Amino acid sequence: MQLPEDQLRAGHIPADLYRQIPPGTDVRRVVIVQEAPRSYRGPIVLALVVTAGSVAVLLVVAFVVQVVAGAAVAVLSATGGLSYAINRTSKTRKGK
C-alpha cells in the first residue's frame, strides 16, 4: 500500500485525516469521499469543435468572397460598354 488511494480502499485512514476526526467519533463509521480524477475529454472535444467551426467559417467566408468577386467582374464587364459610351460622348464634346 504505497498510494493513499490504496490505503483508503483497504479501509485505513491516513494519519493526517485521522487527526482531523473529532474525538469520540467511531472510526468504523467514517466515510472518506475522494474527488474523482479530472477528465480531459470535455476540453479536448471543445478544442476540436472550436477548430472545426473556425475552419468551416473560413471556408464559408472564402466561398462568399469568391462569389462576390465573380459578381463584381460580371457587373464590371456588363457596364464596360456603358462607361465606354460615356467616355466617347465626352470626347465628342471637347472636339466641338
Side-chain angles (χ1 to χ4, degrees):
M1 286 189 289
Q2 296 178 1
L3 299 174
E5 293 85 16
D6 296 337
Q7 291 177 355
L8 292 175
R9 278 193 217 105
H12 298 286
I13 300 174
D16 60 334
L17 292 178
Y18 189 75
R19 283 187 221 110
Q20 295 176 6
I21 298 174
T25 305
D26 186 11
V27 182
R28 293 174 292 176
R29 296 187 182 270
V30 172
V31 176
I32 298 173
V33 179
Q34 284 184 299
E35 186 177 346
R38 181 173 168 91
S39 172
Y40 293 99
R41 182 182 300 166
I44 290 173
V45 169
L46 179 64
L48 291 175
V49 167
V50 167
T51 304
S54 60
V55 167
V57 167
L58 288 175
L59 287 175
V60 167
V61 167
F63 179 73
V64 168
V65 167
Q66 182 181 4
V67 169
V68 168
V73 167
V75 167
L76 289 176
S77 65
T79 59
L82 181 62
S83 66
Y84 177 73
I86 291 173
N87 287 339
R88 187 171 179 209
T89 56
S90 64
K91 288 179 183 178
T92 309
R93 285 185 191 169
K94 288 180 182 178
K96 287 183 180 180

